[in-house]
Amino acid sequence: MFPTLASGLAIAKSTLGLTTTTRDTELTTLLEASKGVDSTGNTQYRPYIVAAYILPLWGAVARAQLIKADGAEWLKPIDFEPLIKSLLMLQQASDCGLKIDPCWNATKVAVDLGLKKVRGISGIVA
């Protein structure tokens, strides 16, 4: 569990391999939107779902900036799927006992990302 925004942001950045503050505002916004509340009423930030959610978008943006490169190969969205599935399963395991906005449920995010078959995510089975 990550009870502070700073700890959630640090984990999200580490998971995404970020070492600068250039994306902190965007990540902070997503961490705030996706946070949960534990049984004692304390906020818990959910960095793994944020990383899983943002990873495909940032990969697509990075690919769009390529102007020319003979023989360049880029990761395709499908290449991120194993990592995204793992992040969502890790987040779901961390979510036990949390009250979460249904929009940020790991199962819903998996479906929204097109991961129709995710072994280990409740409600979605391979």
Side-chain angles (χ1 to χ4, degrees), residues 36-92:
V37 177
D38 65 20
S39 61
T40 61
N42 294 318
T43 297
Q44 299 293 329
Y45 292 94
R46 304 171 64 232
Y48 304 116
I49 203 155
V50 169
Y53 185 80
I54 203 74
L55 189 63
L57 172 65
W58 285 357
V61 169
R63 285 189 304 278
Q65 294 176 2
L66 180 66
I67 295 172
K68 182 178 181 180
D70 292 338
E73 290 189 35
W74 295 95
L75 287 172
K76 298 175 285 305
I78 193 73
D79 296 328
F80 290 109
E81 193 168 314
L83 175 57
I84 293 167
K85 287 178 181 179
S86 294
L87 289 169
L88 290 173
M89 288 189 310
L90 182 57
Q91 187 62 67
Q92 187 177 42

Side-chain angles (χ1 to χ4, degrees), residues 102-113 121-122 124:
C103 292
W104 286 96
N105 176 284
T107 300
K108 182 183 182 319
V109 171
V111 171
D112 290 349
L113 291 173
I121 299 285
S122 297
I124 300 177

